[in-house]
Amino acid sequence: MQIENNQLLRFTTAGSVDDGKSTLIGRLLYDSKSIFEDQLESVSATSAKKGHRGVDLALFTDGLRDEREQGITIDVAYRYFTTPKRKFIIADTPGHIQYTRNMVTGASTANAAVVLIDARHGVIEQTKRHSFIASLLNIPHLIVCVNKMDLVDYNEQRFNEIISQFEEFSSKLLMKDVRFIPISALEGDNVVNQSKNMRWYQGGTLLNILETLHISSDVNKIDARFAVQTVLRPQNEEYRDYRGYAGRVASGIYRVGDEVAVLPSGFTSKIRSMNSGETEIEEAYAPMSVALTLEDDIDVSRGDMIVRVNNQPEATQEFDVMLCWLNDEAAKPQAKYSITHSSNEQRAIIKEVIYKVDINSYDRITNDKGLNMNDIARVKIRCTRPLMIDSYRDNRNTGSIILVDENTNETVAAGMIV
């Protein structure tokens, strides 16, 4: 298969239990011919054993034994597929409230979120919760699939009612691009192929929308941010005096000759050269991994950030974060955690829980300061040394942090800097 466009789109799926997420992804893979023959044979055999008339599409994604036995999705299942127009990574996230953390981690790098609504039930609490998380994570594109249209006789009025329900509550959220599609994942209507049962719908199929979403502008190209991951000193004959700084461009564009500042020291220099692998390049942009050299001999180490002189992040030890608690154990007041921000690691404490969010009603809870698994709260964090931060709304890469328990080495929380 020849690929016209090498662009990668990551999208996450979310919906209530039995809304048909796994069936939808199975249909997407099956109808776009992205299933390997041995996998198709295995799923066909399992479907027959279960007494299904045809292929149970949900089995293409429900990989865990517990999921298959219960018929639900309890973990984040990642799937990769390719069409002639684009490459895709799908994060199939759970619908249960106790797996909010799975959706947060699965959706954190997504370009788009596909939220499923059962046409019979309309907008429910879980729809609001998943949409809130998509908004919180600043996912640029939201595709609302009204599924099981076959069970409401492909009724256009019912589809329009659900759009009104969704728009009524989503007006409180920050969403840039929302699209609505009436589908039947089980029957294949408007997933890969245009539905003959809903000629009143003039929009594209789900696959068509995923293939044509404009995602180039989703990356911040204005604020140049490059976090140093390692310092390269080959110490061989060919590169005796080479001192390169390797990392990934988080945002913005870097060119040879640009005047830059190294933070936190504040020393300035110019970019002498840049390499991507073995190739010398003149320009680098997100999300390229590159090594660059500077014209001046400056002390630069892992965790430092190379930015433009006239466009710098905020350097601060104390800041507010929307935090999702991921761990079974509750947060300990004033306990020290290891904080990771880009390539910078240091120690921090949760200084204060300002409020928690009821993710069903969006209400702020100010009288409960405990942080338990799946809680989302606005907290104040204090670090041992300044971090170079941007707000998450401006820059998803330099606006996010994780907290790690130093004793167990477990990631206990993920946060978006306000």
Side-chain angles (χ1 to χ4, degrees), residues 226-235 239-247 262 270-275 277 290-302 304 306:
F226 179 84
V228 177
Q229 291 182 10
T230 189
V231 179
L232 304 175
R233 295 296 305 273
Q235 301 291 346
Y239 298 101
R240 184 170 292 281
D241 298 318
Y242 183 88
R243 186 183 181 90
Y245 309 110
V262 178
K270 286 186 177 179
I271 297 175
R272 174 186 284 164
S273 67
M274 290 192 293
N275 284 76
V290 299
L292 56 84
T293 64
L294 301 177
E295 288 187 357
D296 301 284
D297 193 11
I298 298 173
D299 184 19
V300 182
S301 56
R302 176 181 168 83
D304 288 355
I306 298 174

Side-chain angles (χ1 to χ4, degrees), residues 77-122:
Y78 291 95
R79 292 292 177 270
Y80 173 90
F81 76 104
T82 302
T83 71
K85 293 185 179 177
R86 194 170 258 173
K87 296 177 181 177
F88 299 93
I89 294 176
I90 315 169
D92 182 21
T93 58
H96 287 62
I97 189 165
Q98 64 264 41
Y99 301 117
T100 299
R101 62 176 183 170
N102 300 61
M103 183 178 175
V104 168
T105 52
S108 59
T109 58
N111 303 99
V114 175
V115 174
L116 266 75
I117 297 176
D118 189 319
R120 298 167 301 173
H121 304 143

Side-chain angles (χ1 to χ4, degrees), residues 264-281:
S265 69
F267 288 121
T268 61
S269 184
K270 286 186 177 179
I271 297 175
R272 174 186 284 164
S273 67
M274 290 192 293
N275 284 76
S276 176
E278 298 289 313
T279 309
E280 192 159 321
I281 56 175

